[in-house]
Amino acid sequence: MNERPRQSFAGLWNISFGFFGIQIGFALQNANMSRVFQTLGSNLDDLPALWVAAPLTGLLVQPIIGHLSDKTWLGRLGRRRPYFLTGAILATLALFVMPLANLLLFAAVMLWVLDASLNISMEPFRAFVGDMLRKDQHSVGYAVQTAFIGAGAVVGSIFPKLLEHWGVANTAAPGVIPDTVRYAFWFGGAALFLSVLWTVLTTREYSPAEMAAFDGTTQQESETLRLLAARTFTGSLWWIAGGVAVIATVAGFGLKKEVYLLGGLLGGYGIASIIAIARARAGNSASMLGHIVGDFSGMPDLMKRLALVQFFSWSALFIMWINTTPIVAQYAFGASDPTSARYQEGASWVDVLFGTYNGVAAIAALTLLPFLAKRIGAARTHVVGLLCGAAGYASFLVIRDPQMLLLSEIGIGIAWASILAMPYAILASSLPQRKLGIYMGLFNVFVVIPQLLVATVMGSIMQAFFPNEPIWTMLFAAVVMALAALAMLRVRVDTA
């Protein structure tokens, strides 16, 4: 078995530079979409439902793109790069059109398009690092990728504030998106496309023959079919029963109708798995559905344990992304009216806060995390990072000075760096290379499901127990992030 060539720093740079632009797009989305929705007339309680588009598109897109990219080879364009480029073009178009919205429904639809496009580009980038690097470079490869994520997020987060500083209007008539947001989205679209194009033009992917030589194995279609055919329908029926139970709970307790979506997804997966098992038993060749269902049910134990950590980690992150703008505006700036200048000032300060935690993440990814990983291992390093995040969230309950909230973002930034680097470095060294794309896509399902859960359930919880008091969502985030650290203690395999 041959070994992949060792990548220089320039090679590591080129492999991950496209993520810089992708994260500019995500940062603009995360920091400004609640502001856009409220500007166009959304109520605070309706924000989670409007954000449903983002996790739902990731849930559907990432496993499909992962499966397809494992099997793609388009000559000189390669295996993963066709997906980078396609997603970048679509996301750029969405970022250019989004600020022109004057209807809430149109903005929600464009969020759906934007998030789907970003996921088309993002998912193959995770597998791309594993494709291109030898195992002893996985940690540094994902650290460099995380640094670009942090740097891109800083640029995307602070750019509206910079525009305001340069004299661009940060307020507008009711129902009109401010110029700072519009110009930032247009800048983000251009930056996203150019950075992804850089990676496409400066990297050469290994051919299928080279990959087989590196890994000493080839794809075994019959193995997936055999394992799928050996499954019973019991698990599928449990998924369907879970979906029915969720739907019945919504109807019985009068929860928000968006929660029906969660029940529908659970039941839908159960039905899909029944179809895949039946086809496998009939001897049909393994379809994309069969591969996704079979690989999901056959995840390695290490991946299952990390999946639980992801579930808790991303639940906390999504709570933060949805609620930080109304929290900071209301509690640190004393404004809850989205049309007021004071509210817009608070929303712009959230851009600075988000830029701070991403900047901390970029620095921590290249300094603190490698230092800790060499001494206490990747798993324990991740525990430390998650606990820093929990402390950062909890501090929002007591800090009311906008400047002091920058200290909160330090802990959140360390957690963010660890979440983006440690689990993927561990996985890339443990998963079979021939299925790295689909497994990375399935792993990101556990990034998406908690976001979907938060988007559909959090609004009902807050409306029932804490109406017009969004600050308590940060307590939820702190507790859930602490649970992620506790779950990480069950992961025993460490990589430096």
PDB file of all heavy atoms in Angstrom, residues 203-218:
ATOM      1  N   THR A 203      -5.728  22.800  -6.720  1.00  0.00           N
ATOM      2  CA  THR A 203      -5.574  21.445  -6.196  1.00  0.00           C
ATOM      3  C   THR A 203      -5.808  20.415  -7.289  1.00  0.00           C
ATOM      4  O   THR A 203      -6.562  20.654  -8.239  1.00  0.00           O
ATOM      5  CB  THR A 203      -6.552  21.170  -5.041  1.00  0.00           C
ATOM      6  OG1 THR A 203      -7.892  21.403  -5.491  1.00  0.00           O
ATOM      7  CG2 THR A 203      -6.264  22.070  -3.857  1.00  0.00           C
ATOM      8  N   ARG A 204      -5.146  19.280  -7.144  1.00  0.00           N
ATOM      9  CA  ARG A 204      -5.374  18.144  -8.037  1.00  0.00           C
ATOM     10  C   ARG A 204      -5.746  16.950  -7.183  1.00  0.00           C
ATOM     11  O   ARG A 204      -4.980  16.523  -6.320  1.00  0.00           O
ATOM     12  CB  ARG A 204      -4.132  17.813  -8.855  1.00  0.00           C
ATOM     13  CG  ARG A 204      -4.350  16.683  -9.860  1.00  0.00           C
ATOM     14  CD  ARG A 204      -3.051  16.176 -10.454  1.00  0.00           C
ATOM     15  NE  ARG A 204      -2.277  15.386  -9.489  1.00  0.00           N
ATOM     16  CZ  ARG A 204      -2.479  14.071  -9.273  1.00  0.00           C
ATOM     17  NH1 ARG A 204      -3.443  13.428  -9.908  1.00  0.00           N
ATOM     18  NH2 ARG A 204      -1.737  13.435  -8.384  1.00  0.00           N
ATOM     19  N   GLU A 205      -6.930  16.413  -7.408  1.00  0.00           N
ATOM     20  CA  GLU A 205      -7.380  15.272  -6.629  1.00  0.00           C
ATOM     21  C   GLU A 205      -6.727  13.981  -7.124  1.00  0.00           C
ATOM     22  O   GLU A 205      -6.404  13.855  -8.307  1.00  0.00           O
ATOM     23  CB  GLU A 205      -8.908  15.150  -6.696  1.00  0.00           C
ATOM     24  CG  GLU A 205      -9.632  16.321  -6.066  1.00  0.00           C
ATOM     25  CD  GLU A 205     -11.119  16.083  -5.959  1.00  0.00           C
ATOM     26  OE1 GLU A 205     -11.538  15.216  -5.169  1.00  0.00           O
ATOM     27  OE2 GLU A 205     -11.875  16.779  -6.672  1.00  0.00           O
ATOM     28  N   TYR A 206      -6.584  13.042  -6.207  1.00  0.00           N
ATOM     29  CA  TYR A 206      -6.053  11.739  -6.577  1.00  0.00           C
ATOM     30  C   TYR A 206      -7.112  10.942  -7.341  1.00  0.00           C
ATOM     31  O   TYR A 206      -8.289  10.955  -6.978  1.00  0.00           O
ATOM     32  CB  TYR A 206      -5.602  10.969  -5.333  1.00  0.00           C
ATOM     33  CG  TYR A 206      -4.493  11.660  -4.575  1.00  0.00           C
ATOM     34  CD1 TYR A 206      -4.679  12.088  -3.262  1.00  0.00           C
ATOM     35  CD2 TYR A 206      -3.262  11.908  -5.183  1.00  0.00           C
ATOM     36  CE1 TYR A 206      -3.664  12.736  -2.567  1.00  0.00           C
ATOM     37  CE2 TYR A 206      -2.245  12.558  -4.498  1.00  0.00           C
ATOM     38  CZ  TYR A 206      -2.457  12.968  -3.185  1.00  0.00           C
ATOM     39  OH  TYR A 206      -1.452  13.615  -2.512  1.00  0.00           O
ATOM     40  N   SER A 207      -6.687  10.258  -8.378  1.00  0.00           N
ATOM     41  CA  SER A 207      -7.607   9.485  -9.205  1.00  0.00           C
ATOM     42  C   SER A 207      -8.118   8.275  -8.430  1.00  0.00           C
ATOM     43  O   SER A 207      -7.540   7.884  -7.399  1.00  0.00           O
ATOM     44  CB  SER A 207      -6.897   9.011 -10.471  1.00  0.00           C
ATOM     45  OG  SER A 207      -5.918   8.037 -10.147  1.00  0.00           O
ATOM     46  N   PRO A 208      -9.199   7.630  -8.904  1.00  0.00           N
ATOM     47  CA  PRO A 208      -9.684   6.420  -8.235  1.00  0.00           C
ATOM     48  C   PRO A 208      -8.607   5.344  -8.116  1.00  0.00           C
ATOM     49  O   PRO A 208      -8.531   4.652  -7.096  1.00  0.00           O
ATOM     50  CB  PRO A 208     -10.840   5.970  -9.143  1.00  0.00           C
ATOM     51  CG  PRO A 208     -11.342   7.236  -9.755  1.00  0.00           C
ATOM     52  CD  PRO A 208     -10.117   8.078  -9.964  1.00  0.00           C
ATOM     53  N   ALA A 209      -7.765   5.205  -9.137  1.00  0.00           N
ATOM     54  CA  ALA A 209      -6.694   4.191  -9.079  1.00  0.00           C
ATOM     55  C   ALA A 209      -5.677   4.544  -7.999  1.00  0.00           C
ATOM     56  O   ALA A 209      -5.210   3.665  -7.250  1.00  0.00           O
ATOM     57  CB  ALA A 209      -6.010   4.087 -10.437  1.00  0.00           C
ATOM     58  N   GLU A 210      -5.323   5.833  -7.899  1.00  0.00           N
ATOM     59  CA  GLU A 210      -4.384   6.249  -6.859  1.00  0.00           C
ATOM     60  C   GLU A 210      -4.982   6.062  -5.474  1.00  0.00           C
ATOM     61  O   GLU A 210      -4.285   5.610  -4.543  1.00  0.00           O
ATOM     62  CB  GLU A 210      -4.003   7.720  -7.071  1.00  0.00           C
ATOM     63  CG  GLU A 210      -3.124   7.970  -8.275  1.00  0.00           C
ATOM     64  CD  GLU A 210      -2.895   9.446  -8.530  1.00  0.00           C
ATOM     65  OE1 GLU A 210      -3.887  10.201  -8.580  1.00  0.00           O
ATOM     66  OE2 GLU A 210      -1.719   9.851  -8.680  1.00  0.00           O
ATOM     67  N   MET A 211      -6.268   6.404  -5.306  1.00  0.00           N
ATOM     68  CA  MET A 211      -6.916   6.225  -4.010  1.00  0.00           C
ATOM     69  C   MET A 211      -6.939   4.758  -3.608  1.00  0.00           C
ATOM     70  O   MET A 211      -6.714   4.413  -2.441  1.00  0.00           O
ATOM     71  CB  MET A 211      -8.341   6.781  -4.071  1.00  0.00           C
ATOM     72  CG  MET A 211      -8.423   8.285  -4.285  1.00  0.00           C
ATOM     73  SD  MET A 211      -7.838   9.258  -2.888  1.00  0.00           S
ATOM     74  CE  MET A 211      -9.196   9.020  -1.747  1.00  0.00           C
ATOM     75  N   ALA A 212      -7.216   3.868  -4.563  1.00  0.00           N
ATOM     76  CA  ALA A 212      -7.229   2.438  -4.264  1.00  0.00           C
ATOM     77  C   ALA A 212      -5.836   1.962  -3.853  1.00  0.00           C
ATOM     78  O   ALA A 212      -5.689   1.130  -2.948  1.00  0.00           O
ATOM     79  CB  ALA A 212      -7.728   1.660  -5.474  1.00  0.00           C
ATOM     80  N   ALA A 213      -4.796   2.509  -4.499  1.00  0.00           N
ATOM     81  CA  ALA A 213      -3.431   2.130  -4.141  1.00  0.00           C
ATOM     82  C   ALA A 213      -3.059   2.626  -2.756  1.00  0.00           C
ATOM     83  O   ALA A 213      -2.386   1.928  -1.981  1.00  0.00           O
ATOM     84  CB  ALA A 213      -2.453   2.693  -5.183  1.00  0.00           C
ATOM     85  N   PHE A 214      -3.503   3.842  -2.428  1.00  0.00           N
ATOM     86  CA  PHE A 214      -3.211   4.388  -1.098  1.00  0.00           C
ATOM     87  C   PHE A 214      -3.859   3.555   0.002  1.00  0.00           C
ATOM     88  O   PHE A 214      -3.252   3.285   1.041  1.00  0.00           O
ATOM     89  CB  PHE A 214      -3.724   5.829  -0.986  1.00  0.00           C
ATOM     90  CG  PHE A 214      -2.986   6.820  -1.822  1.00  0.00           C
ATOM     91  CD1 PHE A 214      -3.652   7.919  -2.360  1.00  0.00           C
ATOM     92  CD2 PHE A 214      -1.624   6.683  -2.079  1.00  0.00           C
ATOM     93  CE1 PHE A 214      -2.979   8.854  -3.130  1.00  0.00           C
ATOM     94  CE2 PHE A 214      -0.943   7.608  -2.853  1.00  0.00           C
ATOM     95  CZ  PHE A 214      -1.630   8.699  -3.385  1.00  0.00           C
ATOM     96  N   ASP A 215      -5.118   3.158  -0.212  1.00  0.00           N
ATOM     97  CA  ASP A 215      -5.908   2.546   0.851  1.00  0.00           C
ATOM     98  C   ASP A 215      -5.959   1.029   0.786  1.00  0.00           C
ATOM     99  O   ASP A 215      -6.468   0.385   1.703  1.00  0.00           O
ATOM    100  CB  ASP A 215      -7.331   3.104   0.826  1.00  0.00           C
ATOM    101  CG  ASP A 215      -7.336   4.615   1.016  1.00  0.00           C
ATOM    102  OD1 ASP A 215      -6.685   5.092   1.964  1.00  0.00           O
ATOM    103  OD2 ASP A 215      -7.944   5.319   0.192  1.00  0.00           O
ATOM    104  N   GLY A 216      -5.473   0.446  -0.301  1.00  0.00           N
ATOM    105  CA  GLY A 216      -5.414  -1.005  -0.403  1.00  0.00           C
ATOM    106  C   GLY A 216      -6.768  -1.669  -0.405  1.00  0.00           C
ATOM    107  O   GLY A 216      -6.904  -2.790   0.071  1.00  0.00           O
ATOM    108  N   THR A 217      -7.802  -0.969  -0.903  1.00  0.00           N
ATOM    109  CA  THR A 217      -9.143  -1.540  -0.889  1.00  0.00           C
ATOM    110  C   THR A 217      -9.953  -0.944  -2.016  1.00  0.00           C
ATOM    111  O   THR A 217      -9.615   0.100  -2.556  1.00  0.00           O
ATOM    112  CB  THR A 217      -9.855  -1.268   0.442  1.00  0.00           C
ATOM    113  OG1 THR A 217     -11.111  -1.946   0.440  1.00  0.00           O
ATOM    114  CG2 THR A 217     -10.101   0.226   0.637  1.00  0.00           C
ATOM    115  N   THR A 218     -11.014  -1.598  -2.383  1.00  0.00           N
ATOM    116  CA  THR A 218     -11.941  -1.104  -3.390  1.00  0.00           C
ATOM    117  C   THR A 218     -13.342  -1.163  -2.834  1.00  0.00           C
ATOM    118  O   THR A 218     -13.617  -1.859  -1.858  1.00  0.00           O
ATOM    119  CB  THR A 218     -11.877  -1.946  -4.682  1.00  0.00           C
ATOM    120  OG1 THR A 218     -12.155  -3.310  -4.368  1.00  0.00           O
ATOM    121  CG2 THR A 218     -10.496  -1.849  -5.332  1.00  0.00           C
TER     122      THR A 218
END
